[in-house]
Amino acid sequence: MVTISHLQEWKREQFKFASITAYDATFARLFSKNGVKVILVGDSLGMTIQGHNSTLPVILNDMVYHIRCVRQGAPSCFLLADLPFMTYATPSQAFENAAKLMRAGANMVKLEGGGAWLADTIRNLVMRSIPVCGHLGLTPQSVNMLGGYKVQGKNMNDAEQLLADAHILAKAGMQLLVLECVPSKLAEQVTSELTIPIIGIGAGSKTDGQILVMQDVLGITEDINMPTFAKNFLASEGNIPAAVRCYIQEVESGQFPALEHSF
Ligand code: KIV
């Protein structure tokens, strides 16, 4: 069984780990069998599974259903699960909803956003034995505030704010952090300043781990939706198990992400 202690050890040993999203038992089993140790049941399922143009329509019961499916397929993977939009607006709401994700089989809940307003929520969850992963940078649940899916932390003020937020959340008890679509230099700084493992997506090669949406790894996102930071590993490998092993190997060896996948 993979636990948060393994991720902490990987950070100490500078072992770069690859993680991926999954939403059902079949893919979860295939990923686990081919070497994936960390799976995210992301609210990206609103787009990849449900066909919406954002993650906002996803509700808690959708997450519960997909977490149960993934847990069936990957009993020994470390399972991260997203708290969807507006399910953690207050500490008590977060506590009640996070408990449902943990009961469904998650090992840790992920919530988006930074700063002081989330610190209380994180403290509250951690005190009640619910481990928390943060998510900073491009936070898709805030797409309407951000004005689109754009790289974040590009100017000095925004970068300093993100760094400060990361420290606040870590101090509140966050044990893992996803950094999405930020300049590589900023991701590198966050990774070196924080003692918790940092997982990057569109955040360059210097984070402790990487994550990609499974549809991007397999190149089955329509061309128009394929993010520039992602890579289709199926194209060169020809079959899904080999594509997954290739993704893991390229992350572990530092080959992926390359400069062309970074900002
Ligand atoms: O929902 C999701 O799949 C995510 C990843 C993009 C990190 O949050």
Side-chain angles (χ1 to χ4, degrees):
M1 182 87 189
V2 182
T3 68
I4 185 61
S5 306
H6 292 98
L7 280 76
Q8 290 160 347
E9 197 179 309
W10 296 338
K11 177 169 181 117
R12 279 194 301 274
E13 292 171 354
Q14 299 186 345
F15 167 73
K16 301 224 175 268
F17 59 95
S19 50
I20 191 165
T21 66
Y23 315 99
D24 67 34
T26 305
F27 275 109
R29 186 174 302 112
L30 185 148
F31 294 156
S32 175
K33 272 189 161 178
N34 284 281
V36 171
K37 304 269 190 296
V38 180
I39 291 179
L40 167 68
V41 184
D43 61 353
S44 51
L45 68 86
M47 301 165 91
T48 58
I49 303 293
Q50 298 175 338
H52 302 294
N53 66 359
S54 80
T55 60
L56 272 62
V58 177
I59 58 170
L60 196 80
N61 281 347
D62 297 335
M63 294 305 303
V64 168
Y65 172 79
H66 287 281
I67 293 164
R68 283 201 183 119
C69 295
V70 170
R71 183 47 94 197
Q72 287 298 316
S76 60
C77 281
F78 186 75
L79 219 66
L80 273 168
D82 270 325
L83 274 165
F85 180 62
M86 279 301 145
T87 61
Y88 53 99
T90 64
S92 61
Q93 190 195 22
F95 171 48
E96 206 169 299
N97 289 330
K100 291 181 181 152
L101 302 193
M102 298 297 287
R103 275 194 203 107
N107 296 116
M108 183 178 272
V109 299
K110 177 162 85 58
L111 32 79
E112 296 184 7
W117 82 270
L118 261 182
D120 273 352
T121 299
I122 293 177
R123 262 190 295 274
N124 206 39
L125 289 169
V126 170
M127 273 190 311
R128 287 159 178 80
S129 301
I130 297 181
V132 175
C133 172
H135 185 152
L136 294 174
L138 171 54
T139 47
Q141 292 172 16
S142 307
V143 64
N144 293 306
M145 291 293 288
L146 300 174
Y149 298 101
K150 300 174 186 166
V151 181
Q152 303 295 310
K154 284 206 289 192
N155 66 50
M156 213 167 73
N157 280 350
D158 291 352
E160 279 172 4
Q161 184 63 57
L162 189 148
L163 193 58
D165 283 348
H167 279 286
I168 290 170
L169 301 184
K171 203 163 165 222
M174 166 180 79
Q175 287 183 285
L176 187 63
L177 173 64
V178 169
L179 276 184
E180 179 167 356
C181 283
V182 297
S184 309
K185 279 271 164 231
L186 176 58
E188 184 175 2
Q189 194 177 356
V190 175
T191 305
S192 71
E193 286 191 17
L194 268 64
T195 54
I196 60 168
I198 311 294
I199 302 181
I201 172 164
S205 60
K206 302 289 198 242
T207 54
D208 302 304
Q210 297 289 331
I211 187 157
L212 283 178
V213 168
M214 59 160 279
Q215 281 78 0
D216 294 337
V217 170
L218 303 179
I220 51 174
T221 314
E222 283 175 34
D223 284 351
I224 196 164
N225 290 329
M226 184 76 169
T228 57
F229 57 74
K231 178 170 170 183
N232 172 356
F233 288 88
L234 187 59
S236 60
E237 301 307 303
N239 68 75
I240 296 176
V244 173
R245 290 194 298 271
C246 182
Y247 166 52
I248 296 172
Q249 188 275 325
E250 287 201 11
V251 169
E252 291 181 358
S253 66
Q255 236 177 301
F256 178 82
L259 278 182
E260 74 209 70
H261 309 115
S262 309
F263 303 109

